[in-house]
Amino acid sequence: MGLSIFDTMRRRKIPFEPVVPGKVGMYFCGMTVQGVPHVGHMRAYTVADAMRRVLRARGYEVTLVQNFTDIDDKIIAKAAEEGVPWQELAERNIDAYFSAADWLGIERADVYPKATEHMGAILTLIGDLVEKGHAYAAGGDVYFSVETATDYGKLSGKRVEDLRAGVRVEVEEAKRHPVDFALWKGAKPGEPSWDSPWGAGRPGWHIECSAMAMAYLGETLDIHGGGRDLIFPHHENELTQSEASTGVSFCRHWTENGMVMLGGEKMSKSTGVFFAVEDVRKEVDPRVLRLFLLGTHYRSPLDYSRERLDEAATAMERITNFLATAAHAAAGSDAGQEPGEADAAFREETERCVRQFHEALDDDFNTAGALGKLFELARAGNAYAASGSPGGAGLLREAHTQVAGMLDLLGFPAAKDETGEIPPEVQALVDRRETARTERDWAAADSLRDEILACGFVVEDRPDGPLIKRA
C-alpha cells in the first residue's frame, strides 16, 4: 500500500499522485515577519520537514518552497512602534526564524522567496486577472471579483451567500461585492510602495503566495500546507485567483495542520497568547520540543503545556536509554550461541514495529502512530536486554540500528550513541566503584556513584558490567 494523504478540499484520504512521477513540489505558507517565531509557527514547519523526509525516504525528489511575507500592515505598524526601518524589522525576524528552525532540526527549504523580491511576478499575475475579467481596479486598489469564480468556497466549504452578510465594507473601499478581496493596495502617505499600472502601492497578502508558488513549482502544486487557520480566507483566495489565471487545478493535496492551543486559545501573536521559541529553548531540549510537535497527528489541535513537554521529555529519555542499553549489550559476543524462543520473539517484534512504523507514515504522515511503534520497539528491546538472552548481542545491534534509523527519518539527532566517549577520569571512578562493590564496601560505592553523577554521568549496574550514560 502506497502513501495516502488527507486532502482538505476532498475531505478524505486519497492516494498520493504527484504531477510529475518521482518528483514532488511542496509549498508551505511562511511567517509574516512582524515578530519572532513562536511554538505555533514551528509546528507547521516541523510538519513540513517531516513530510519532506518521509517523501524522500519513499524515493521522491522533493522541492520545498516556504515564503516570507516581509511587507504588510502589521510589519509597517510594528516597525513604526519600534522606530526602525521596516526592512530591518523584517530581516531581524527572518534571522530569528532560521535560528529557531536550525535549533529544532528543521532542514532548510529549497527556496525562501520574499514578497518584496517578487513584485514582477505579482504584478504580472494581477495584470492577467484584470485582462481576463476576474479583477478590476477601483480607487487605486485592485480587487478580485469573487462573482466570476463559480466554485468559490470549494476548499473551505463556505458559501458566498453566507459570507456576504458577515462582511463589513469600509467606507473608502470601492468593492463591487462585499467578499471581493484586494490584489493590490494603493499606497497611503508615508508607507512603502512599488509602482504598478494602477498606481503606487503594494500587493495584497493572498496574491503573493500564488505568484511565488507558481514561480518555483509551476501551475499545479503537489502539496500545499500551512496552519488550519489559513484555509479561509488565505488558501481559498489563493486557490481561486490561481485557477482563474491558469484554468488548471492549483494544488492536488491540501495538508493544513491543526493549531497549537494555549489555555483554550490559539497560539497567536495577534492575541498575545504564545510562547516564543527563543524563550522556550532556554529550558527545553530541541529533541523534546520536536517530539512534542510530532507526537500528535498533524491535522489535530495540540495543547501546549509544561506537563505535555515533561511527558515528551520522559518519552525521549526512554528512547535514549534504549540506545545506550542496546549499544552496551550489543558490544558483547553471541558467537556460537543457538537462538532460543526469546530471541525469535524479539526478532519478530522488531520486524513488526519497523513495518508498522512505515505503515503509519504512509497513512497521511501519521508521525504520532510511527512514534508509538518506535516506543514499542524500545520497550521490547529494554526488556529483551534485561533478560540476558545469550543470543542477544546481534539482535540488539539490529534493533539499535533500526531505532536510530527511525529517529533519523523523523529528523531527530538522537540517533547517536548516548553513552558517547567516557572521559578517563569518569572511567577511573567507575573502576574504583566496581572494586568497592566487589569488596562489598557499599558506602564507598555510593560515594563514588555521587562523584560520577557530579561529573555528568550515571552508572547502571548490569550483569554484563556497568553501563555508563550521560546524565
Side-chain angles (χ1 to χ4, degrees), residues 323-352:
L323 289 172
T325 297
H328 179 78
S333 174
D334 53 8
Q337 300 289 343
E338 289 295 326
E341 291 185 8
D343 305 312
F346 181 58
R347 180 182 295 279
E348 182 177 329
E349 182 71 356
T350 299
E351 293 172 351
R352 178 190 69 81

Side-chain angles (χ1 to χ4, degrees), residues 103-105 285-287 290 316 407-408 410-418:
W103 174 75
L104 261 174
D285 186 294
R287 297 173 300 175
R290 189 177 181 96
M316 180 54 67
L407 286 168
D408 183 64
L410 292 176
F412 290 94
K416 65 181 183 296
D417 179 0
E418 289 296 314

Side-chain angles (χ1 to χ4, degrees), residues 291 294-296 315 318-319 349 352-354 356-357 360-361 366-380 406 410:
L291 181 62
L294 295 179
T296 298
R318 291 196 205 106
I319 297 297
E349 182 71 356
R352 178 190 69 81
C353 288
V354 172
Q356 293 180 353
F357 171 88
L361 294 178
N366 186 359
T367 55
L371 284 166
K373 299 306 170 184
L374 194 156
F375 294 139
E376 286 181 24
L377 178 52
R379 184 164 52 248
M406 293 153 87
L410 292 176

Side-chain angles (χ1 to χ4, degrees), residues 294-310:
L294 295 179
T296 298
H297 191 281
Y298 77 90
R299 286 191 287 112
S300 299
L302 179 58
D303 292 318
Y304 183 87
S305 68
R306 183 75 246 184
E307 291 74 19
R308 294 293 303 276
L309 286 175
D310 288 344

Side-chain angles (χ1 to χ4, degrees), residues 242 256 393:
S242 300
E256 289 88 356

Side-chain angles (χ1 to χ4, degrees), residues 83-346:
V84 299
W86 62 269
Q87 301 98 322
E88 179 182 325
L89 177 78
E91 287 302 318
R92 186 179 74 210
N93 290 322
I94 288 172
D95 289 344
Y97 165 78
F98 284 126
S99 176
D102 292 345
W103 174 75
L104 261 174
I106 297 173
E107 293 182 335
R108 296 289 177 103
D110 296 283
V111 188
Y112 287 101
K114 300 174 185 176
T116 58
E117 296 175 352
H118 291 77
M119 288 298 169
I122 291 168
L123 291 170
T124 297
L125 180 54
I126 295 173
D128 183 61
L129 291 170
V130 171
E131 183 179 341
K132 291 177 177 176
H134 290 293
Y136 58 92
D141 301 327
V142 180
Y143 293 97
F144 184 91
S145 176
V146 170
E147 291 181 308
T148 68
T150 57
D151 56 358
Y152 186 78
K154 64 182 178 181
L155 179 65
S156 62
K158 296 183 181 294
R159 293 162 22 109
V160 173
E161 296 78 9
D162 297 333
L163 292 169
R164 181 198 302 264
V167 174
R168 175 183 175 184
V169 180
E170 299 295 339
V171 174
E172 69 271 15
E173 290 182 327
K175 293 182 180 182
R176 295 176 183 171
H177 189 286
V179 185
D180 291 351
F181 54 90
L183 303 177
W184 187 257
K185 298 180 178 182
K188 296 177 181 178
E191 286 188 347
S193 63
W194 289 259
D195 291 333
S196 84
W198 313 281
R202 54 188 170 83
W205 177 31
H206 316 302
I207 199 70
E208 298 172 7
C209 281
S210 288
M212 290 186 285
M214 292 192 290
Y216 294 98
L217 300 174
E219 294 180 342
T220 302
L221 319 180
D222 292 309
I223 294 174
H224 195 315
R228 288 191 64 81
D229 57 340
L230 299 180
I231 294 175
F232 187 86
H234 185 50
H235 288 175
E236 188 74 69
N237 292 348
E238 197 183 335
L239 178 157
T240 301
Q241 65 201 8
S242 300
E243 295 186 353
S245 173
T246 66
V248 300
S249 174
F250 178 55
C251 180
R252 290 197 169 191
H253 305 270
W254 292 89
T255 59
E256 289 88 356
N257 60 273
M259 298 292 95
V260 177
M261 310 298 290
L262 184 62
E265 294 187 63
K266 181 187 78 171
M267 195 175 285
S268 168
K269 291 195 297 285
S270 61
T271 62
V273 179
F274 68 89
F275 273 90
V277 178
E278 64 185 17
D279 294 327
V280 173
R281 65 190 293 178
K282 297 173 184 176
E283 301 179 353
V284 179
D285 186 294
R287 297 173 300 175
V288 170
L289 185 58
R290 189 177 181 96
L291 181 62
F292 167 74
L293 293 172
L294 295 179
T296 298
H297 191 281
Y298 77 90
R299 286 191 287 112
S300 299
L302 179 58
D303 292 318
Y304 183 87
S305 68
R306 183 75 246 184
E307 291 74 19
R308 294 293 303 276
L309 286 175
D310 288 344
E311 291 171 5
T314 300
M316 180 54 67
E317 187 175 6
R318 291 196 205 106
I319 297 297
T320 54
N321 280 343
F322 166 73
L323 289 172
T325 297
H328 179 78
S333 174
D334 53 8
Q337 300 289 343
E338 289 295 326
E341 291 185 8
D343 305 312
F346 181 58

Side-chain angles (χ1 to χ4, degrees), residues 384-402:
Y384 178 70
S387 72
S389 174
L395 290 175
L396 284 169
R397 276 194 295 272
E398 179 183 340
H400 184 285
T401 299
Q402 293 290 358

